[in-house]
Amino acid sequence: MSENSGNSFDPKQFVEAAPHSPNQGAVEPAQPVQPVQQVQAGVQPPEREPKKGKGKVIAIVSFLGVVIVGLCVVIGLIVSGAFSEETKKSRKTSKTAKKTTTEESGDPTDDPTEDPTDDPTSDTTEDPAVDPTSDTSDTSGTSAATSGTTDPNLQPEMVSSIDQVSPKLLDTLISVSKERFETDPDTQLPDKVTLLNFNYLGMAITDEFWEGDDGDDFYTYNLWLLFQVQVTDSTGGQAQERQFFWYAYFREVYTDGTYDSSVDIAYKPVMCFDNWSISGLQSVARFLKEAGTVVETNVDESLILPLDGKPYSPEEDVRVTKESELTSGQFKKMQEVAEECMNDFDRPSNTTVRIDKMTLLGTYFGTDNYESTIVALVYEMSLVYQGNTYVYYWYAGFYGTYTGGECLTAYMLRPTMTIDYGDFTAKGFLMVDDVISDLESWGYSNNVENNVDTSLSTVGFVFPNSDKEEISEDRIKALSDEGLRRAINEIWARHGYIFRNQDILDYYRQFEWYEEKIPADEWDKNGQDYYLNDIEKKNIKKMTDERDRRA
């Protein structure tokens, strides 16, 4: 019976379920009891004469029932079109339909009737009724588990060498890569930037080692396709040709074109130009380092197209170690990412706290013992909560910053220290000097270039509310010696005390709130208790006690 028939009929079931005859089920009258006859030795009892015709009638009725059921089934199949040409074709292609839908693009050269699981004697010729160019695929890709086979021995093979990548598979992967580049938000070209060339240069295969259960360890393989991207940039007014390199990552690619689309490289480097940035790399060498453990590659630098008529000259793989080596595009991108990070991840814990100002004080460059460099942007944070101002210092440190304009903005080093303000907490430090100490504690203490300028502070307070709230001893003890000195001086500066020390005086003169009103001699004559309120007196006492304790 066909699998495609709608309601199947079983002749046996039909006979058993046939309508009852009027007498069916009625009890037949008992036959008269015959007297027992004595059986003489060697003499058989007379045989009972069978009733004639009853068995033949039952057999004929059963046979006719089977014939009638069979005719009904055949008529039903004919009406449903089970024997039509289209049905035959759909049966022939049903095995391969799932595999066809896993292809990443509708390549006109694809033969959708080709399936390693088909009976070799079956007709696998391409049927004109099936359009091989139709694309029913999910372009997001599929895992290898959906390759359309159930027998493990017939599963397509994972690509582990470039020789296994057929021309058709390569065309598919290139097509998917281009689609990704055009649709990925990280590779959207800004206004006044147009694409000139998207040039395939080759691929690299990397492996990953996995520890399986019961010691069943295994390797998986991934493909990385590299492209040269050339654009025309008119964002600065005059059109310029620019280029960068971009890769598409495919995890566990199989010879039938399926791959694991559940994993991608989430944090790719960024190429920074004067007025815009985009996901990309500055050189082929950087691509090979980014890929990691390369098993095999066929990337051909001779395929790189000239830029502005000049042949390709690779950027040196050199990390930025000082501010003069940063491009303006890198500096802009880092500031943009740092501000996003503060707003999205490192905001104060209380949502009613408002970030009033985020002032960049400068940069810090340092190298560790492994020649890894950090580029840190140091900020002064000014918060407003219930009418009071709170100031602390925060930084965003960037790794992987190169002299050719490339940088990695997804990974950042940020403060882990928490400041407890009572009603809320914030990640950072009370003194800018503590920011530098924290960066050095991470090992970035070699080849240091510190460009942090405290004169850029828009507040100039260690404790902006030390005239309104009593500062806890823990917060005072957390200050460095310089921070403690400034915390004491700012209480006097708030009242307009004119400092005798020229350096201190110059420091406070840079802030708009500071007014020189009370000469030092007059302050000494009247005494500080004449000018300070009760809260300020308590804070001064705690701070001077801590200063004397340290001395």
Side-chain angles (χ1 to χ4, degrees):
M1 188 64 62
S2 170
E3 295 176 355
N4 295 330
S5 58
N7 295 318
S8 61
F9 294 87
D10 187 337
K12 184 183 294 184
Q13 292 176 353
F14 181 82
V15 171
E16 292 174 354
H20 295 286
S21 65
N23 294 326
Q24 187 173 349
V27 179
E28 186 179 353
Q31 298 291 332
V33 178
Q34 299 294 331
V36 178
Q37 299 181 4
Q38 297 293 327
V39 180
Q40 298 180 1
V43 178
Q44 295 293 335
E47 292 183 3
R48 195 172 186 178
E49 185 177 351
K51 295 182 178 181
K52 297 182 179 179
K54 186 175 182 179
K56 291 181 180 180
V57 171
I58 294 174
I60 292 171
V61 170
S62 299
F63 174 77
L64 289 175
V66 172
V67 171
I68 291 171
V69 171
L71 289 173
C72 292
V73 172
V74 171
I75 292 171
L77 292 175
I78 293 173
V79 171
S80 65
F83 299 112
S84 66
E85 288 300 318
E86 287 76 9
T87 303
K88 292 179 182 179
K89 295 165 188 172
S90 65
R91 286 178 188 169
K92 184 173 65 176
T93 58
S94 62
K95 291 183 180 180
T96 61
K98 194 168 186 180
K99 176 176 288 295
T100 304
T101 59
T102 61
E103 293 294 336
E104 285 295 330
S105 66
D107 188 343
T109 63
D110 291 351
D111 181 5
T113 64
E114 216 174 281
D115 191 334
T117 63
D118 284 347
D119 185 345
T121 63
S122 64
D123 178 13
T124 60
T125 58
E126 194 172 49
D127 197 302
V130 180
D131 182 7
T133 63
S134 63
D135 185 0
T136 59
S137 66
D138 177 3
T139 56
S140 62
T142 63
S143 66
T146 63
S147 60
T149 60
T150 56
D151 186 346
N153 297 323
L154 297 177
Q155 285 281 4
E157 188 177 356
M158 185 188 299
V159 173
S160 60
S161 69
I162 295 175
D163 291 342
Q164 293 175 287
V165 181
S166 66
K168 186 175 79 170
L169 174 56
L170 179 59
D171 288 343
T172 298
L173 295 178
I174 291 176
S175 177
V176 174
S177 300
K178 188 170 184 179
E179 182 180 355
R180 284 187 190 176
F181 182 83
E182 293 172 347
T183 58
D184 190 338
D186 292 333
T187 51
Q188 293 300 295
L189 296 173
D191 293 338
K192 299 184 179 180
V193 177
T194 56
L195 181 66
L196 289 178
N197 293 299
F198 189 75
N199 181 29
Y200 173 68
L201 301 177
M203 72 176 69
I205 296 181
T206 60
D207 62 5
E208 292 181 80
F209 176 76
W210 299 86
E211 294 184 2
D213 297 334
D214 301 325
D216 187 18
D217 301 338
F218 61 96
Y219 281 90
T220 60
Y221 298 88
N222 309 310
L223 268 64
W224 308 60
L225 272 63
L226 180 63
F227 297 86
Q228 175 195 21
V229 183
Q230 292 184 325
V231 298
T232 299
D233 180 6
S234 301
T235 58
Q238 185 176 1
Q240 299 182 64
E241 286 189 11
R242 300 188 186 277
Q243 76 175 10
F244 57 94
F245 297 88
W246 180 84
Y247 65 81
Y249 170 83
F250 296 90
R251 180 184 176 88
E252 298 179 18
V253 179
Y254 287 77
T255 51
D256 67 343
T258 59
Y259 63 92
D260 182 359
S261 63
S262 64
V263 179
D264 195 3
I265 303 299
Y267 307 117
K268 295 181 179 179
V270 174
M271 273 301 294
C272 303
F273 300 101
D274 293 340
N275 302 304
W276 57 284
S277 60
I278 194 169
S279 175
L281 301 161
Q282 67 185 32
S283 66
V284 174
R286 284 286 305 120
F287 162 71
L288 295 175
K289 286 191 176 182
E290 182 74 8
T293 308
V294 176
V295 176
E296 185 181 5
T297 182
N298 64 354
V299 172
D300 187 355
E301 292 192 19
S302 68
L303 298 177
I304 298 177
L305 301 173
L307 182 69
D308 275 335
K310 299 178 181 178
Y312 172 63
S313 178
E315 294 284 349
E316 293 185 23
D317 185 14
V318 178
R319 293 177 183 264
V320 170
T321 58
K322 51 188 176 182
E323 190 169 282
S324 61
E325 294 172 345
L326 277 178
T327 67
S328 60
Q330 285 174 316
F331 199 54
K332 290 177 183 177
K333 183 63 177 179
M334 289 178 181
Q335 292 182 72
E336 174 188 321
V337 173
E339 291 174 6
E340 290 176 356
C341 181
M342 168 53 67
N343 289 315
D344 294 342
F345 303 108
D346 285 0
R347 288 185 65 88
S349 59
N350 191 325
T351 56
T352 62
V353 177
R354 178 170 59 87
I355 298 177
D356 184 44
K357 294 178 182 178
M358 184 174 177
T359 306
L360 179 63
L361 301 182
T363 58
Y364 175 94
F365 294 77
T367 307
D368 64 11
N369 293 331
Y370 303 98
E371 299 302 318
S372 176
T373 61
I374 194 80
V375 181
L377 274 58
V378 180
Y379 289 87
E380 179 184 75
M381 303 300 304
S382 177
L383 311 177
V384 175
Y385 175 66
Q386 294 183 349
N388 295 322
T389 301
Y390 299 83
V391 175
Y392 67 99
Y393 298 89
W394 178 85
Y395 69 85
F398 296 89
Y399 307 99
T401 306
Y402 293 87
T403 55
E406 179 189 330
C407 65
L408 183 62
T409 58
Y411 294 107
M412 284 185 290
L413 180 64
R414 311 194 309 271
T416 57
M417 180 71 69
T418 299
I419 305 171
D420 188 353
Y421 287 107
D423 290 343
F424 66 93
T425 60
K427 292 290 183 68
F429 305 91
L430 292 173
M431 289 297 299
V432 69
D433 294 343
D434 295 333
V435 170
I436 307 305
S437 298
D438 191 59
L439 289 167
E440 291 176 345
S441 71
W442 286 103
Y444 297 101
S445 55
N446 302 325
N447 304 319
V448 170
E449 180 180 283
N450 183 0
N451 301 305
V452 176
D453 185 358
T454 55
S455 68
L456 298 175
S457 170
T458 60
V459 179
F461 289 110
V462 177
F463 298 120
N465 302 311
S466 58
D467 60 334
K468 300 176 183 178
E469 66 172 342
E470 191 171 344
I471 310 301
S472 68
E473 292 184 359
D474 289 340
R475 292 175 65 186
I476 293 173
K477 289 179 179 179
L479 295 174
S480 63
D481 291 345
E482 176 62 21
L484 182 59
R485 184 172 73 91
R486 288 186 183 178
I488 296 171
N489 289 339
E490 70 188 23
I491 294 177
W492 294 358
R494 191 182 287 114
H495 291 275
Y497 175 77
I498 303 175
F499 294 90
R500 292 188 176 92
N501 185 300
Q502 191 63 41
D503 291 338
I504 299 175
L505 182 61
D506 290 342
Y507 174 77
Y508 286 107
R509 278 176 172 170
Q510 65 185 316
F511 305 118
E512 293 182 0
W513 57 264
Y514 178 65
E515 297 180 9
E516 300 176 41
K517 296 187 297 185
I518 307 173
D521 293 340
E522 184 178 338
W523 183 279
D524 293 342
K525 179 181 178 180
N526 295 326
Q528 69 175 12
D529 290 349
Y530 178 80
Y531 301 100
L532 306 184
N533 62 36
D534 290 341
I535 293 178
E536 289 174 319
K537 291 174 185 177
K538 290 179 181 180
N539 286 332
I540 283 284
K541 179 68 168 59
K542 289 180 181 180
M543 294 176 190
T544 53
D545 286 349
E546 175 64 19
R547 181 191 60 189
D548 295 342
R549 186 190 66 80
R550 295 183 184 184

